[in-house]
Every structure is written in structure tokens, then in C-alpha cells.
Amino acid sequence: MSLLDQIDQIRSTFMEELYSISSSKDVERMRIHYFGKKGTIASLMRFLRDATPEDRPNLGKIINDTKEELSSHLENTQKRLLIQERQHRFAKEAIDVTLPAEPFRLGIEHPVQKVLQEVVAIFSSFGFSVGLAPDLDTEHYNFTGLNFAEDHPAKDMQDTFYFPKDYLLRTHTSNVQVHLMENQKPPMKIIAPGKCFRNETVSSRSHVFFHQIEGFYIDQNVCFTELLELMRAFWPKLFGTKVKVRFRPSYFPFVEPGLEVDIACTQCQSQGCKLCKYTGWLEVAGAGMIHPNVLDQAKIDSEVYQGYAFGIGVERIAMLLYGIEDIRTFSRNDPRVFEQVALKYSSVL
Ligand SMILES: [Zn+2]
């Protein structure tokens, strides 16, 4: 068979094959079969070996032209197939915007957040404005500026998370007092919600991570009675019902005199139950008149200005309001639990 006959035969088989293939993988297979080192076109080189030197250039040109012609067909087919494949893939991946959306559950507001917001709203209605301070703070703002003695047990590593360079995680929101007193001038009437951290064993009653709301008022002629009146007014507003409030003397380094605020047990109406440890009362806040040392350290003249301060444990209040018995419930963040709580106590807040 002559070279030209052979080429005709190759061309017709090639074209037949080309029309029948349906993927770019087939194109690769054809490329190797026809144009590979040991492929069909390479086998035509034997005609060159057998040809006379005069015929050789002409035959070489015919073989090359054939190679170019066929490979250009193959390239075109490959382009067409790649486009088809891409369109097919896009069609498969396309999003049908007319389909109905998957149903999804709305999140439930965290009980701690609810209490924080409610408490801040009540104090705002009493004329307090919100103040903030860092969670990661220094010993000065967390202890020294608040009149803690050098050897106070709260400064112990057992109780406080320390970091290099005198930093610590604040153990109470009272650091807000020092920050704001150093940067503002009285009168100041501040409510400061925030996170606190203590190096304690986690149990159903205590956690390493919790929330407090600090409040303080500094001005001329602020008196102790005002603090007592504020505490008497606040709790009934929060619980939405009459609440009996009582005060007991207590000690905190940054107040003098200091007191604990108790409310009549909301669960047993002071009859005595497990929640109130059969005392009929629940501790809900610490408070007192700001110690003159705290004012003087922040360069506020304690001869001219006085102030009161109070701190409320948020988780404790949320536990009372929502009947949650384990403080760890708040950090487990199970939306199903919060959903139940929200349904059961939807009338509380
Ligand atoms: Zn009780």
C-alpha cells in the first residue's frame, strides 16, 4: 500500500473515531494512539526509510501535513468537549433558587444575657450609664487601686489567674471603678456589666468564669441611705413582684461600711427550702460606701466626694429567675435547655 493510500485509511479511521468520542479523556487516548512515539503517524516514517533521497523531502512534507491536519481536528474536538463538560458540571452544581428553603431553628437568647440586659435597663432607668473595663487587666486596677492589702488572700494564685508582666484576668467587675475614677470627674453614676474569672474548682455552685454587674455612684453628699433605697427599689423591679430586702454588715476591702444584700427566698416565700438552705433568705449582692482610700488613690478628694458601690452576681440571679440548679448549665450552652427555660419562664423577663 502506498503512503497516500495508507494516509487515506488513517484519516478515515481517525475521523470516524473522532466523531464517536464523548469525553476529553478519549481525546487523550487518541492523542497517544495517533501521535505518540510509537503511534500511527510515527509508523509512517518507515516510508521515508525506504524512499529514494529525491522523494524523501516530499514524503516527509506529506506526513507532517497529515499530522498537523489531524492534530488540529483533535484540538478542536477537545475544546468542544471541555466546554460541554464544564457546562454539564455547572448545570449539576447550579442552585435552584426557586426551591423552598430548609427550615432552621432560631437561636434562643442566653439566660445570662437576658439578665444582664434587664439589670442594665433597670439601672439606666435610675439614671446610670454603662461603663466598661478590660477583662485582662493589671494588679493595680483589680486589687491595689481597690484598697486590697498586699497580703490579701484573694491575690493568691489559688484564686486568681495570673499572666506575665503583672497581668491577670479580673476577679470582679470592680476594676471598672478604678479605670473610670482615674479618667473621669465626679459626678459619676455607672453600671458596668462584664465577665469575671476565678481560679476555683468548677462545681454546680461555682465556676471559673461568670458575670457580674458593678454599679457605683460618686458625687458630693452621697449617703448610705441612698444605697439602701436603691437596693430596695431594684429587686422588686427585676423580679416583677414585691420582694423583701434585708441588709447584713459585711466586709469588702473597697467599701466602708460594707454590707450583703439578701432577698426573701423567691421559691419558698421565706418558709425555708433547699435553694435558700432553709434560711428563707438568698444572698444577691454585695455593697457599701466606697472606701476613702479608693477615692484618694484615684485622685478624687474623699473630703469632698463620697460614693456607694454594689456588685451583683449575674449567674446567681439567672439561676433564681429561671429555676436553674447547676451553674455549669450556662457554659454548656445547650440551646434545647435554654429553649425549655424560655418557654417555662417566658413571663418572668
Ligand atoms: Zn427558700
Side-chain angles (χ1 to χ4, degrees):
M1 199 187 283
S2 75
L3 174 64
L4 291 179
D5 289 343
Q6 184 89 41
I7 285 176
D8 278 345
Q9 207 176 60
I10 291 172
R11 184 185 287 113
S12 81
T13 325
F14 178 89
M15 294 312 281
E16 213 171 290
E17 219 175 310
L18 195 64
Y19 288 128
S20 71
I21 62 173
S22 58
S23 79
S24 51
K25 271 186 195 153
D26 293 333
V27 172
E28 275 317 301
R29 192 181 41 73
M30 279 185 73
R31 196 193 305 282
I32 293 163
H33 179 72
Y34 285 93
F35 308 114
K37 266 187 183 168
K38 292 178 179 171
T40 312
I41 300 292
S43 73
L44 294 175
M45 293 304 168
R46 73 173 189 277
F47 284 97
L48 291 186
R49 274 199 310 273
D50 302 339
T52 60
E54 299 82 52
D55 288 344
R56 218 170 268 162
N58 194 28
L59 293 180
K61 189 173 180 310
I62 292 173
I63 294 172
N64 263 338
D65 288 351
T66 310
K67 189 181 175 185
E68 268 174 36
E69 178 204 335
L70 297 186
S71 56
S72 114
H73 284 309
L74 194 66
E75 288 309 315
N76 288 338
T77 304
Q78 187 177 31
K79 274 183 204 159
R80 181 174 56 79
L81 287 172
L82 283 174
I83 290 170
Q84 270 178 11
E85 282 168 12
R86 200 180 306 149
Q87 281 170 343
H88 186 66
R89 204 173 65 238
F90 285 171
K92 255 169 75 178
E93 288 170 0
I95 295 165
D96 183 352
V97 291
T98 63
L99 284 174
E102 295 248 336
F104 63 94
R105 285 160 68 131
L106 281 174
I108 291 290
E109 198 171 22
H110 198 289
V112 165
Q113 282 305 318
K114 273 184 108 160
V115 173
L116 279 169
Q117 283 167 13
E118 184 66 15
V119 172
V120 169
I122 294 171
F123 280 105
S124 299
S125 76
F126 293 157
F128 285 76
S129 34
V130 174
L132 298 170
D135 296 348
L136 187 65
D137 212 343
T138 62
E139 196 160 332
H140 168 70
Y141 290 103
N142 197 75
F143 291 128
T144 323
L146 287 163
N147 199 37
F148 277 77
E150 232 1 90
D151 55 353
H152 193 280
K155 294 173 84 169
D156 203 305
M157 299 285 280
Q158 304 292 323
D159 297 307
T160 306
F161 292 109
Y162 284 96
F163 288 82
K165 294 188 178 171
D166 192 32
Y167 279 101
L168 50 79
L169 282 174
R170 66 172 172 187
T171 57
H172 46 199
T173 40
S174 306
N175 67 333
V176 178
Q177 283 187 39
V178 185
H179 276 279
L180 297 192
M181 281 182 212
E182 285 182 1
N183 290 300
Q184 292 182 20
K185 294 254 168 291
M188 277 186 256
K189 206 170 185 182
I190 304 291
I191 190 83
K195 300 186 197 84
C196 309
F197 308 84
R198 283 187 199 168
N199 194 359
E200 284 181 17
T201 311
V202 175
S203 71
S204 63
R205 311 291 298 169
S206 66
H207 209 289
V208 290
F209 161 76
F210 55 97
H211 295 76
Q212 272 187 357
I213 296 172
E214 182 86 3
F216 64 97
Y217 175 39
I218 303 168
D219 202 349
Q220 295 181 20
N221 307 316
V222 175
C223 64
F224 192 56
T225 332
E226 277 178 77
L227 169 64
L228 304 186
E229 281 314 305
L230 180 76
M231 285 291 117
R232 283 200 186 99
F234 168 72
W235 296 100
K237 271 205 167 231
L238 181 68
F239 283 88
T241 164
K242 274 191 181 172
V243 178
K244 249 199 256 171
V245 181
R246 77 170 187 188
F247 305 104
R248 285 178 294 117
S250 187
Y251 170 77
F252 306 100
F254 40 100
V255 285
E256 179 58 39
L259 54 92
E260 298 269 3
V261 184
D262 296 344
I263 58 169
C265 181
T266 48
Q267 191 146 303
C268 64
Q269 274 71 44
S270 291
Q271 296 306 300
C273 68
K274 203 177 151 204
L275 182 68
C276 59
K277 294 181 196 145
Y278 302 96
T279 61
W281 295 93
L282 299 163
E283 285 177 33
V284 285
M289 295 304 285
I290 296 174
H291 199 292
N293 289 353
V294 174
L295 295 169
D296 290 333
Q297 273 203 75
K299 303 206 166 42
I300 292 175
D301 189 349
S302 62
E303 297 288 323
V304 182
Y305 292 101
Q306 305 80 43
Y308 61 69
F310 54 89
I312 298 167
V314 179
E315 274 78 356
R316 177 135 178 80
I317 305 305
M319 286 165 87
L320 294 178
L321 279 171
Y322 298 115
I324 291 170
E325 289 183 352
D326 190 328
I327 196 170
R328 291 168 291 196
T329 306
F330 298 120
S331 52
R332 281 189 191 124
N333 274 339
D334 186 336
R336 293 167 305 178
V337 174
F338 296 153
E339 207 166 302
Q340 269 184 1
V341 166
L343 280 175
K344 196 169 160 196
Y345 293 90
S346 56
S347 59
V348 176
L349 284 184

